[in-house]
DNA sequence: CCTCACCCCCGCCAAT
DNA sequence: CTATTGGCGGGGGTGA
């Protein structure tokens, strides 16, 4: 199943509701995927759906009426905004989810929605996350899945989970970025009036309500992103975080489940992708702006991480859509 | 592709 | 006693 937004059919999205659905997360899903956005061609075609009858009771006595379906056939993406953690998943839904997954459908969950995937077994041997308030229960209940601490969202191989409310939007924006590119994602973020670039863009990688010690940690990441075009020595990062090199390495692994160097390369790739998608800057200069120093180096990491060359990556996104200036970097 | 100097990362362990 | 810290060093990855 391809994810191109060219002149093909729009991507069909199902947003699943259930009794006692969390309204904020449901709202996020609707806002991200179901708002009409006439400014974009081929925007998602989304529906709120349920397997449970024509009305669900939500908080505050609000009743929601959504389309009753008995199959996920025809949808490309399923969003599960939340799920009452104690509530069982019906046989029908289990079967539908398995089938949907095997068919190559994409599933993203917000907050407690991850419990559905857990119960179905789709998170076995996979990285996952959920709202921190369910973390302990989640780890206990789904011992086969690899719970990632302190991460706002995880998304890989067509399955994504995110933590609480605002992380849901971060995940949604990431999905939009993959489907429509960097500029469109930014545009949507702007319309939602959320910070697409929260102070340098990276505080999102560290869960917010964590006191002091982690504060400078995220500051350092912000600093790194702002200076991504330069050489970045891990030792410098450690000293900026007021930690020994060894402790920094450990903290980093614990928070982000990757090594500092790995993270830096990810950031460089991200920057390079942005430039390739939204500007016409030459490859040589893109690699320089992203801090790769040489284009061979960049090509190496593109191949390794994205299985595609920079040029081909750019061509993928050249689809008569928005073209912007030649743009200066730094 | 290869090669080589350098840098990173993580297990180990002693110290706190 | 356990938990955390941080120095060391080897093996492996990175970059020119």
């Amino acid at each position: 199943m391809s994810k191109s937004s060219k002149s093909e059919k729009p991507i069909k999205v199902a947003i699943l509701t259930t009794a006692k659905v969390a309204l904020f997360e449901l709202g996020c899903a609707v806002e991200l995927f179901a708002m009409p956005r006439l400014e974009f061609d081929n925007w998602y075609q989304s529906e709120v759906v349920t397997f449970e009858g024509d009305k669900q009771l939500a908080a505050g006595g609000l009743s929601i009426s959504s389309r009753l379906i008995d199959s996920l056939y025809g949808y490309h993406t399923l969003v599960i905004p939340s799920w009452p953690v104690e509530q069982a998943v019906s046989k029908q839904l289990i079967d539908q989810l398995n089938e949907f997954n095997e068919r190559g459908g994409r599933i993203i969950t917000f907050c407690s929605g991850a419990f559905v995937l857990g119960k179905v077994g789709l998170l076995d041997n996979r990285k996952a996350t959920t709202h921190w308030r369910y973390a302990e229960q989640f780890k206990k209940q789904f011992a086969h899945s690899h719970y990632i601490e302190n991460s706002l969202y995880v998304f890989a191989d067509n399955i994504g989970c995110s933590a609480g409310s605002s992380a849901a939007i971060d995940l949604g924006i990431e999905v939009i970025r993959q489907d429509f590119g960097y500029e469109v994602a930014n545009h949507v973020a702007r319309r939602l009036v959320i910070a697409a670039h929260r102070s340098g863009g990276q505080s999102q990688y560290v869960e917010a309500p964590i006191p002091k010690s982690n504060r400078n940690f995220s500051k350092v990441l912000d600093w790194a992103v702002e200076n991504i075009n330069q050489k970045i020595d891990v030792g410098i990062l450690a000293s900026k975080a007021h930690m020994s090199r060894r402790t920094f390495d450990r903290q980093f692994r614990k928070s982000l489940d990757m090594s500092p160097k790995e993270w830096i390369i990810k950031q460089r790739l991200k920057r390079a992708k942005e430039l390739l998608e939204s500007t016409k800057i030459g490859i040589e200069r893109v690699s320089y702006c992203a801090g790769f120093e040489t284009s061979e180096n960049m090509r190496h990491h593109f191949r390794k991480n994205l299985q595609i060359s920079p040029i081909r990556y750019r061509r993928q996104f050249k689809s008569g859509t928005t073209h912007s200036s030649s743009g200066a970097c730094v």
Side-chain angles (χ1 to χ4, degrees):
Chain A
M1 204 167 277
S2 105
K3 56 186 177 177
S4 139
S5 61
K6 309 275 158 62
S7 45
E8 300 160 16
K9 288 185 191 159
I11 295 174
K12 287 192 73 176
V13 179
I15 299 168
L16 186 69
T17 56
T18 176
K20 298 188 204 150
V21 68
L23 293 172
F24 188 90
E25 280 74 12
L26 176 61
C28 287
V30 169
E31 191 71 32
L32 284 161
F33 299 107
M35 290 291 289
R37 296 190 192 277
L38 303 175
E39 64 270 42
F40 306 128
D41 296 332
N42 272 311
W43 190 244
Y44 300 105
Q45 185 184 318
S46 307
E47 277 183 302
V48 180
V49 300
T50 181
F51 283 90
E52 294 174 16
D54 58 358
K55 245 181 207 170
Q56 297 85 44
L57 206 58
L62 178 73
S63 64
I64 296 173
S65 149
S66 51
R67 190 154 101 84
L68 178 64
I69 56 168
D70 57 10
S71 161
L72 290 169
Y73 190 80
Y75 292 104
H76 169 283
T77 297
L78 175 68
V79 184
I80 306 177
S82 81
W83 191 264
V85 293
E86 303 300 347
Q87 185 176 304
V89 179
S90 72
K91 173 85 169 53
Q92 182 189 22
L93 184 50
I94 292 177
D95 292 344
Q96 283 298 314
L97 287 171
N98 276 317
E99 212 178 284
F100 186 71
N101 177 247
E102 279 160 28
R103 218 185 297 140
R106 179 172 60 186
I107 307 175
I108 64 176
T109 70
F110 301 157
C111 199
S112 53
F115 279 74
V116 178
L117 297 187
K119 288 175 201 211
V120 174
L122 288 176
L123 295 178
D124 290 355
N125 305 314
R126 216 176 222 296
K127 294 178 182 176
T129 192
T130 185
H131 193 291
W132 57 265
R133 108 182 91 133
Y134 304 123
E136 288 314 312
Q137 188 182 346
F138 187 93
K139 281 189 273 191
K140 212 181 290 171
Q141 200 168 336
F142 309 117
H144 291 297
S145 122
H146 177 29
Y147 184 80
I148 306 289
E149 307 275 352
N150 283 341
S151 163
L152 286 193
Y153 64 80
V154 213
F155 182 48
D157 300 328
N158 266 345
I159 292 187
C161 335
S162 71
S165 325
S166 72
I169 297 178
D170 287 322
L171 173 58
I173 294 291
E174 169 63 19
V175 167
I176 293 172
R177 201 194 71 78
Q178 291 190 8
D179 290 339
F180 293 93
Y182 170 74
E183 286 199 347
V184 171
N186 256 6
H187 186 93
V188 172
R190 222 176 300 132
R191 285 282 295 273
L192 287 170
V193 198
I194 63 158
H197 300 289
R198 309 175 170 187
S199 73
Q202 298 310 305
S203 347
Q204 60 193 348
Y205 287 100
V206 178
E207 193 165 13
I210 285 182
K212 302 165 211 156
S213 62
N214 266 33
R215 286 290 173 85
N216 26 359
F217 198 70
S218 62
K219 273 236 178 76
V220 172
L221 299 188
D222 285 344
W223 177 87
V225 170
E226 275 166 33
N227 296 283
I228 200 69
N229 60 320
Q230 290 164 35
K231 265 206 160 171
I232 294 173
D233 179 287
V234 180
I236 302 288
L237 293 183
S239 65
K240 278 192 182 293
H242 308 291
M243 287 180 216
S244 74
R245 178 62 209 277
R246 189 67 189 87
T247 300
F248 184 77
D249 281 345
R250 266 199 283 252
Q251 294 291 327
F252 205 102
R253 168 71 55 195
K254 199 160 78 173
S255 300
L256 302 177
D257 197 46
M258 67 178 91
S259 74
K261 192 65 188 246
E262 244 176 303
W263 181 85
I264 291 171
I265 289 173
K266 274 208 164 104
Q267 297 313 309
R268 295 203 195 289
L269 283 169
K270 191 171 163 209
R271 182 91 187 101
K273 285 196 275 184
E274 290 168 9
L275 292 171
L276 289 170
E277 286 176 32
S278 59
T279 74
K280 293 176 177 174
I281 298 172
I283 298 295
E284 204 63 40
R285 194 157 165 71
V286 167
S287 45
Y288 176 78
C289 290
F292 283 114
E293 289 293 327
T294 71
S295 55
E296 283 79 14
N297 194 5
M298 179 168 80
R299 202 166 300 120
H300 172 76
H301 283 105
F302 259 76
R303 281 233 166 274
K304 189 168 169 193
N305 289 279
L306 310 165
Q307 289 77 245
I308 192 174
S309 76
I311 290 284
R312 290 195 54 194
Y313 183 88
R314 168 172 275 167
R315 231 178 271 145
Q316 252 185 14
F317 281 91
K318 276 272 165 64
S319 52
T321 50
T322 42
H323 281 300
S324 64
S325 63
S326 58
C329 67
V330 189

